[in-house]
């Protein structure tokens, strides 16, 4: 069976995680008290990853920008009720996922010509600087991967995106999807099996 591209297993690295988490908690408390500058700091820390997730989910850069902006507006409005039981990033993914689902439902009649894959718009968000040949090969793989993800049922697609492309743990993914960790594990396994089967058929 052909292996999937290495990119699907890359997790976004965290640097000085403990220190960063402590600073974030301070910013959250300040933002909950109405400090807009603190909330702007939060946005800066999370907007790139959240935008990338929205792009991969919606496969349309324009929609992703609007949904990402809406997600932070919703977050600002709901932040006073945020109790910190889940990580802030997990909570933000929940908001973004719900908005992505709503947007996908309302755009069913949109012309395909108006849809732009993120890797066509701005490959730099996902791919480090490489040679032209390597970049072309990477983009080809990412376009193929995007097509493969698109054929998966939604509940399998989202769990694979959150765990392998967004770097969430199975516990965090379970919180985002409001399901059990065991449920996440089963969906990840099934999603990988279907994606590898599709990948082989495309070879």
């Amino acid at each position: 069976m052909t292996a999937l591209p290495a990119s699907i297993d890359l997790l976004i690295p965290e640097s000085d995680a403990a220190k960063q988490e402590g600073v974030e908690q301070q910013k959250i408390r300040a933002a909950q008290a109405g400090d807009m500058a603190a909330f702007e700091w939060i946005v800066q820390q999370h907007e790139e990853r959240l935008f990338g997730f929205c792009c991969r989910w919606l496969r349309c850069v324009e929609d992703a920008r609007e949904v990402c902006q809406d997600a932070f507006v919703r977050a600002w409005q709901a932040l006073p009720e945020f109790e910190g039981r889940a990580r802030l990033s997990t909570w933000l993914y929940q908001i973004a996922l719900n908005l992505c689902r709503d947007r996908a439902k309302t755009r069913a009649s949109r012309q395909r010509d108006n849809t732009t894959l993120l890797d066509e718009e701005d490959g730099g968000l996902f791919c480090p600087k490489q040679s032209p040949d390597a970049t072309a090969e990477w983009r080809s793989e990412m376009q193929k991967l995007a097509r493969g993800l698109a054929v998966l049922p939604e509940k399998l697609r989202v769990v694979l995106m959150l765990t392998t492309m967004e770097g969430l743990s199975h516990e965090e993914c379970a919180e985002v999807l409001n399901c059990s960790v065991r449920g996440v594990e089963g969906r990840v396994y099934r999603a990988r099996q279907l994606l590898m089967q599709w990948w082989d058929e495309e070879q």
Side-chain angles (χ1 to χ4, degrees), residues 83-154:
E83 298 179 352
R85 295 176 182 173
R87 292 179 60 184
L88 181 66
S89 58
T90 303
W91 183 65
L92 291 173
Y93 275 118
Q94 288 178 320
I95 295 173
L97 176 59
N98 288 333
L99 290 174
C100 283
R101 285 170 168 163
D102 291 342
R103 177 59 63 95
K105 290 177 182 177
T106 60
R107 71 173 194 184
S109 61
R110 177 174 296 177
Q111 293 286 338
R112 291 188 65 183
D113 290 344
N114 292 334
T115 299
T116 305
L117 288 175
L118 180 64
D119 53 284
E120 295 172 353
E121 176 78 9
D122 185 4
L125 190 61
F126 300 101
C127 187
K129 208 167 187 180
Q130 303 183 60
S131 68
D133 288 345
T135 299
E137 182 179 355
W138 180 87
R139 288 195 176 192
S140 177
E141 275 197 342
M142 288 300 96
Q143 289 173 356
K144 183 177 177 181
L145 178 58
R147 294 196 305 273
L149 288 171
V151 304
L152 295 178
E154 180 188 308

Side-chain angles (χ1 to χ4, degrees), residues 13-198:
E14 295 182 356
S15 58
D16 299 325
K19 180 179 179 181
Q20 182 75 3
E21 186 172 348
V23 173
E24 184 169 86
Q25 291 303 314
Q26 295 175 7
K27 297 295 184 181
I28 290 172
R29 289 192 292 271
Q32 288 176 320
D35 187 338
M36 179 59 75
F39 184 71
E40 289 175 355
W41 183 93
I42 291 172
V43 172
Q44 291 173 1
Q45 299 304 307
H46 295 278
E47 62 181 342
E48 184 173 318
R49 289 183 66 183
L50 211 64
F51 173 62
F53 171 74
C54 292
C55 282
R56 286 185 283 272
W57 180 263
L58 295 168
R59 303 186 67 204
C60 176
V61 173
E62 182 180 350
D63 280 356
R65 287 198 184 103
E66 293 180 4
V67 167
C68 190
Q69 291 172 0
D70 289 347
F72 282 114
V73 170
R74 296 281 183 91
W76 169 251
Q77 295 170 341
L79 195 60
E81 283 74 49
F82 177 69
E83 298 179 352
R85 295 176 182 173
R87 292 179 60 184
L88 181 66
S89 58
T90 303
W91 183 65
L92 291 173
Y93 275 118
Q94 288 178 320
I95 295 173
L97 176 59
N98 288 333
L99 290 174
C100 283
R101 285 170 168 163
D102 291 342
R103 177 59 63 95
K105 290 177 182 177
T106 60
R107 71 173 194 184
S109 61
R110 177 174 296 177
Q111 293 286 338
R112 291 188 65 183
D113 290 344
N114 292 334
T115 299
T116 305
L117 288 175
L118 180 64
D119 53 284
E120 295 172 353
E121 176 78 9
D122 185 4
L125 190 61
F126 300 101
C127 187
K129 208 167 187 180
Q130 303 183 60
S131 68
D133 288 345
T135 299
E137 182 179 355
W138 180 87
R139 288 195 176 192
S140 177
E141 275 197 342
M142 288 300 96
Q143 289 173 356
K144 183 177 177 181
L145 178 58
R147 294 196 305 273
L149 288 171
V151 304
L152 295 178
E154 180 188 308
K155 70 176 184 179
L156 300 184
R157 181 171 71 253
V158 68
V159 77
L160 198 60
M161 290 173 62
L162 289 172
T163 57
T164 62
M165 302 179 78
E166 303 302 324
L168 271 66
S169 67
H170 286 185
E171 289 77 11
E172 291 169 331
C173 186
E175 290 178 2
V176 171
L177 301 178
N178 193 28
C179 68
S180 67
V181 174
R182 189 171 182 178
V184 168
E185 292 170 349
R187 293 181 194 182
V188 168
Y189 176 80
R190 181 60 178 157
R192 284 183 172 274
Q193 292 297 309
L194 290 178
L195 187 56
M196 286 190 291
Q197 179 181 346
W198 178 89

